[in-house]
Amino acid sequence: TAAGAADIMSHTFEQYLVSEGNDVSDGFCETILKTVIKNAPICIKDPTNLEARSAMMLASSFGCCGLLAIGNMPSPWPCHAIEHALSGYYDITHGVGLAIVTPRWMRHILSEKTLERFVNYAQNVWGIEVNGKDGFAVANEAIEKTYAYFVSLGLPMTLKEVGIGSERLGEMAHHIAVNEGLENAWSPLTEKDILQILQECL
């Protein structure tokens, strides 16, 4: 359930944290994220809670049907691209890998170029007050909340916790760079960028 929650959120991030959005699709994405944030802990505490489970099922269905991306700039789904290599090389649970990768990717791509979208995420999903605050401080607070939320679900948050060391990170980074088209991402990722993100996941 926790890994599934991380996967739903990642599907949503991949369509929300893009160069250009719109009010409707952004609103869909923010609602999906808030739905998961609210209901995943309920499902974990009480797996028989049908209201919470139905909310998660709907969020899962909407998260990957194309609805959330309508009118938004397309994305090569960088977190999924990186995680697919992790679970392909090491056979770890997909949602666990995404939980580990996502906050590190967020930190890595945070810049003047991406700041506005992260501030929107902070304000509209986590309810972080933005008035009078430095934008980077707000964005980093939202990234920390994302990380802490995954921790609260009981998910491992380092590669070492799931038995992955540094031995094949370079090989994976090369594979991802060659095959996944991340040079076309909102914040383009080179092989060096990908390797750095993986190293930060250790």
Side-chain angles (χ1 to χ4, degrees):
T1 297
D7 195 10
I8 298 167
M9 291 180 73
S10 182
H11 286 176
T12 308
F13 289 138
E14 304 273 33
Q15 298 167 92
Y16 176 62
L17 294 173
V18 294
S19 60
E20 294 180 23
N22 65 83
D23 289 346
V24 174
S25 291
D26 285 354
F28 287 155
C29 289
E30 289 158 3
T31 296
I32 295 298
L33 291 168
K34 288 190 287 188
T35 296
V36 174
I37 289 166
K38 173 186 175 182
N39 286 285
I42 299 172
C43 291
I44 291 169
K45 183 177 180 181
D46 177 13
T48 66
N49 188 311
L50 294 182
E51 183 176 355
R53 287 237 170 241
S54 66
M56 292 290 285
M57 182 186 71
L58 285 171
S60 176
S61 298
F62 287 133
C64 207
C65 71
L67 176 70
L68 304 186
I70 293 174
N72 283 4
M73 289 296 290
S75 166
W77 288 48
C79 290
H80 274 71
I82 294 170
E83 199 294 314
H84 285 156
L86 287 172
S87 54
Y89 276 68
Y90 288 94
D91 195 29
I92 65 169
T93 301
H94 176 57
V96 170
L98 287 170
I100 294 169
V101 168
T102 297
R104 278 72 178 215
W105 168 77
M106 288 177 164
R107 291 191 194 110
H108 189 84
I109 70 162
L110 180 59
S111 67
E112 291 285 355
K113 174 184 174 182
T114 64
L115 180 60
E116 182 179 357
R117 299 293 286 173
F118 277 104
V119 170
N120 289 343
Y121 168 57
Q123 182 176 32
N124 298 333
V125 174
W126 291 109
I128 297 170
E129 178 59 50
V130 302
N131 292 332
K133 288 186 176 181
D134 174 74
F136 283 97
V138 168
N140 278 304
E141 185 177 349
I143 294 169
E144 288 303 318
K145 282 186 175 290
T146 308
Y147 185 99
Y149 178 73
F150 290 147
V151 170
S152 76
L153 296 183
L155 290 164
M157 289 303 292
T158 66
L159 293 179
K160 290 178 180 177
E161 289 177 79
V162 293
I164 299 175
S166 61
E167 298 80 14
R168 303 187 74 182
L169 296 190
E171 182 183 351
M172 286 190 287
H174 180 73
H175 172 85
I176 296 161
V178 169
N179 291 287
E180 298 291 351
L182 298 188
E183 69 275 7
N184 300 313
W186 176 36
S187 186
L189 299 178
T190 65
E191 184 174 332
K192 181 179 178 181
D193 292 312
I194 296 164
L195 178 59
Q196 185 175 343
I197 291 169
L198 288 169
Q199 289 170 335
E200 290 167 356
C201 292
L202 287 171

